[in-house]
Amino acid sequence: MATKKKAKKTKPAAKKTTAKKAVVKKAAAKKSAAKKPAARKAASKKVVKAAAKKPAPKKAAAKANGNGHAFPAPSTAPWGQAGKALEGVRILDFTHVQSGPTCTQLLAYMGADCIKIERPGVGDITRTQLRDVKGQDSLYFTMLNGNKRSITIDSKNKKGIEILERLVKTCDVLVENFAPGALDRMGLTFERVHELNPRMIYASVKGFGPGPYEDCKVYENIAQCAGGSASTTGFRDGPPLVTGAQIGDSGTGLHLALGIVTALYQRNRTGRGQRVLCAMQDGVLNLCRVKLRDQQRLKHGPLTEYSQFGEGIPFGQATPRAGNDSGGGQPAWLLKCKGWETDPDAYIYFITQAPVWAEICDLIGKPEWKTDPDYATPPARLPRLRHIFDTIEQWTMTKDKFEVMDICNKFDIPVGPILSMKEIAEEESLRATGTVVEVDHPGRGKYLTVGNPVKLFDSPCEVKRSPLLGEHTEEILTQVLGYTDAEVAEIKTSGAITPPEKPARAEAA
Ligand code: COA
């Protein structure tokens, strides 16, 4: 990792050794104490004695925390100027479409050097999918591949595989989301990669985990269906629905990013990489766990907070679709606001949180509900939710969604306006925080992208445009992999980084 250089600068070798020794000593003491419980007291006495004999140097660069791990002295650099969180981590990004690229873009936002491998002349298929500007990389691609470098390598070319293996040796993480078996067919099995680089973290997204469907190709909505989301989304009297949030693709990419940084952390201790696998079905289910909660609650009676209960409709065997009911313990619903007849987004989500029930009653002109036994307590309200929300809606329809929000916020009543993508794109506060960012692209001009939704206060994120296909091929070959100019010239004619040559025409021969 490139950070090693920096770390060496701020951490003199002698200090490092002292810290290491301290940790080893402590660990050894712990070990012997654990082995011989009777000797525990003696061991701890010894440690105390040793500590008393040799007081810790005043200017210790590294200290041991409660777990006995060493860590450097806190940086004195101003906040945000101590390097990026993942600086020095190099990623061999073999991802495509959405799930994998979401993961690697996040890691790149956090400061990792992300090298995207693309097929010569073709690239990630999303470069040309859903194109809005003729001949230019699509927003589908550009919004998922910011802050990365692109190198073209034909992984089925002999020289191409040689380059890839050289990259394996210099990277910390390999991320891929090919169909099951594709990477093995390239010769990059986990075993081979681990042999080339035992420190490599080998991270994959697949549709399903081991089991009957492990060989299946999977896209977003398949994962939403197989992970329990679709069966629990929509209205009771309608078919299952998929959601707009890409919980299968982007959601799994997020899970994978967590797996990768966790494996990097473990590698600090063990020195070796490991496999990380996120199945899209698992990722969706993880995000749907409240619905599995409700599935189990069904055994003990009806789900009283579902409006279905108040409407007297019996529950079946499985968690039903609940429309816009709240997923939690505070009943809620989506209500019309002023202008709903013409504006499809003139709605507000209204939560009747119990502690502010009195304020809600006053606001909507029903002060008598505060003491009426049919409305005064949460259990009494459950069978009447439909009537309650119809009544609140009579009030919200007299105001626009932002007015409702302003008024309710004054009384701590939790509500949320339905924001259209247009409103989000224009929202100044999201621009100010770097959540929505405008980037300039040499081919397509300015476009909006979503910046880092995770704000690290000592690792600010600078969002950069996505790379052109193969934009950094030569730079990576020479600067990262150390190929000489002569070798690069040879590579150029090998077909490893360029599309296969079309057969020469007869007249040219
Ligand atoms: N050079 C040469 N060949 C390359 C290459 C390169 N740089 N990069 C990829 N390829 C080849 C692969 O080796 C593979 O070839 P093979 O099948 O002959 O071995 C081929 O391109 C395509 O890979 P595949 O993953 O099968 O792509 P696909 O377009 O058919 O399927 C998915 C797309 C998304 C369905 C599939 O990749 C998948 O199920 N991925 C796992 C789940 C996932 O992430 N889904 C969500 C995507 S958002």
Side-chain angles (χ1 to χ4, degrees):
M1 279 162 60
T3 36
K4 274 183 198 156
K5 269 187 192 164
K6 264 207 168 160
K8 265 187 188 163
K9 248 190 208 169
T10 51
K11 227 197 276 172
K15 286 180 184 171
K16 218 177 168 184
T17 327
T18 320
K20 233 185 186 176
K21 270 187 189 163
V23 174
V24 171
K25 222 174 189 178
K26 199 169 175 189
K30 256 191 177 175
K31 211 178 167 188
S32 65
K35 261 190 184 170
K36 298 175 195 165
R40 223 177 258 162
K41 266 191 186 171
S44 63
K45 259 186 195 169
K46 255 185 202 169
V47 173
V48 172
K49 225 175 171 185
K53 260 187 193 171
K54 288 183 195 168
K58 267 182 193 168
K59 279 184 187 173
K63 290 181 180 174
N65 66 12
N67 297 325
H69 296 153
F71 54 89
S75 167
T76 51
W79 291 110
Q81 290 178 36
K84 296 279 169 66
L86 293 182
E87 196 178 285
V89 174
R90 184 172 286 148
I91 294 175
L92 194 167
D93 179 359
F94 230 147
T95 68
H96 65 158
V97 201
Q98 186 184 165
S99 63
T102 299
C103 166
T104 49
Q105 179 171 262
L106 269 173
L107 300 175
Y109 281 171
M110 305 288 190
D113 176 16
C114 191
I115 298 177
K116 185 169 172 102
I117 322 291
E118 297 186 81
R119 199 198 303 237
V122 182
D124 187 325
I125 192 170
T126 58
R127 282 189 186 267
T128 54
Q129 279 182 333
L130 314 178
R131 252 185 182 153
D132 56 324
V133 180
K134 206 173 165 205
Q136 297 300 327
D137 289 336
S138 70
L139 287 165
Y140 197 178
F141 177 83
T142 52
M143 290 177 71
L144 285 161
N145 291 284
N147 293 40
K148 303 181 186 177
R149 300 200 269 176
S150 165
I151 178 173
T152 49
I153 305 176
D154 182 348
S155 64
K156 290 178 178 146
N157 174 290
K158 199 168 159 245
K159 191 80 187 167
I161 270 288
E162 184 195 303
I163 300 169
L164 269 173
E165 293 202 340
R166 203 141 152 175
L167 258 176
V168 164
K169 288 182 192 157
T170 171
C171 288
D172 298 282
V173 187
L174 182 159
V175 193
E176 64 95 19
N177 67 309
F178 289 124
L183 209 60
D184 292 356
R185 288 192 290 277
M186 288 179 198
L188 290 175
T189 59
F190 172 71
E191 291 70 26
R192 176 67 183 143
V193 169
H194 188 69
E195 182 187 18
L196 292 167
N197 180 357
R199 289 174 59 77
M200 180 70 95
I201 285 144
Y202 187 101
S204 307
V205 169
K206 294 288 166 256
F208 293 93
Y213 306 119
E214 64 188 313
D215 292 329
C216 298
K217 287 187 176 180
V218 169
Y219 283 106
E220 170 69 47
N221 288 345
I222 298 177
Q224 288 197 23
C225 295
S229 174
S231 73
T232 52
T233 304
F235 289 90
R236 201 177 48 248
D237 48 5
L241 271 189
V242 294
T243 72
Q246 304 286 281
I247 57 176
D249 279 343
S250 287
T252 309
L254 254 169
H255 283 93
L256 191 71
L258 174 64
I260 289 168
V261 289
T262 309
L264 280 168
Y265 190 81
Q266 186 174 5
R267 193 184 72 172
N268 287 340
R269 189 160 40 82
T270 62
R272 69 172 183 223
Q274 62 182 297
R275 281 190 95 147
V276 181
L277 170 68
C278 281
M280 294 167 74
Q281 182 185 39
D282 301 5
V284 170
L285 176 60
N286 186 35
L287 299 175
C288 272
R289 67 174 54 225
V290 297
K291 299 297 179 180
L292 184 57
R293 173 201 67 195
D294 291 349
Q295 177 64 41
Q296 297 172 85
R297 289 173 61 223
L298 265 179
K299 277 190 211 135
H300 306 282
L303 306 172
T304 51
E305 78 285 6
Y306 279 50
S307 33
Q308 175 172 347
F309 170 70
E311 289 163 34
I313 298 167
F315 284 80
Q317 298 284 308
T319 309
R321 291 185 273 289
N324 286 313
D325 279 333
S326 155
Q330 307 287 352
W333 196 256
L334 190 73
L335 305 178
K336 290 170 184 158
C337 292
K338 199 170 168 179
W340 67 273
E341 299 90 339
T342 51
D343 177 356
D345 298 309
Y347 287 83
I348 194 139
Y349 198 73
F350 199 107
I351 300 180
T352 54
Q353 195 199 15
V356 286
W357 177 244
E359 287 79 355
I360 294 171
C361 295
D362 286 338
L363 259 189
I364 63 170
K366 285 279 180 193
E368 65 276 18
W369 279 2
K370 290 189 278 187
T371 48
D372 183 334
D374 281 349
Y375 295 91
T377 64
R381 292 196 285 274
L382 286 175
R384 299 173 179 78
L385 288 178
R386 177 47 50 97
H387 174 62
I388 290 171
F389 283 116
D390 284 349
T391 309
I392 301 175
E393 192 170 59
Q394 293 306 308
W395 177 75
T396 58
M397 284 197 316
T398 64
K399 313 200 163 5
D400 73 40
K401 59 190 178 187
F402 297 109
E403 285 173 325
V404 176
M405 176 107 178
D406 284 347
I407 296 169
C408 287
N409 276 345
K410 284 192 191 112
F411 298 99
D412 270 349
I413 301 167
V415 295
I418 295 294
L419 292 185
S420 68
M421 274 301 157
K422 181 172 185 298
E423 286 164 328
I424 285 174
E426 292 163 359
E427 173 62 49
E428 278 175 24
S429 63
L430 293 175
R431 299 288 183 103
T433 57
T435 297
V436 175
V437 186
E438 189 174 78
V439 205
D440 208 358
H441 187 275
R444 54 170 303 121
K446 293 198 163 88
Y447 66 95
L448 286 186
T449 192
V450 182
N452 195 346
V454 184
K455 315 296 184 204
L456 292 180
F457 286 77
D458 204 11
S459 178
C461 173
E462 185 198 342
V463 176
K464 296 183 202 144
R465 70 165 172 87
S466 60
L468 303 174
L469 178 61
E471 184 176 344
H472 307 97
T473 301
E474 285 205 41
E475 173 183 309
I476 291 162
L477 287 176
T478 54
Q479 292 172 19
V480 176
L481 300 178
Y483 283 107
T484 62
D485 289 349
E487 286 170 328
V488 170
E490 193 195 322
I491 288 170
K492 279 183 181 166
T493 57
S494 69
I497 58 169
T498 45
E501 299 247 331
K502 283 188 188 142
R505 287 168 59 184
E507 349 33 301

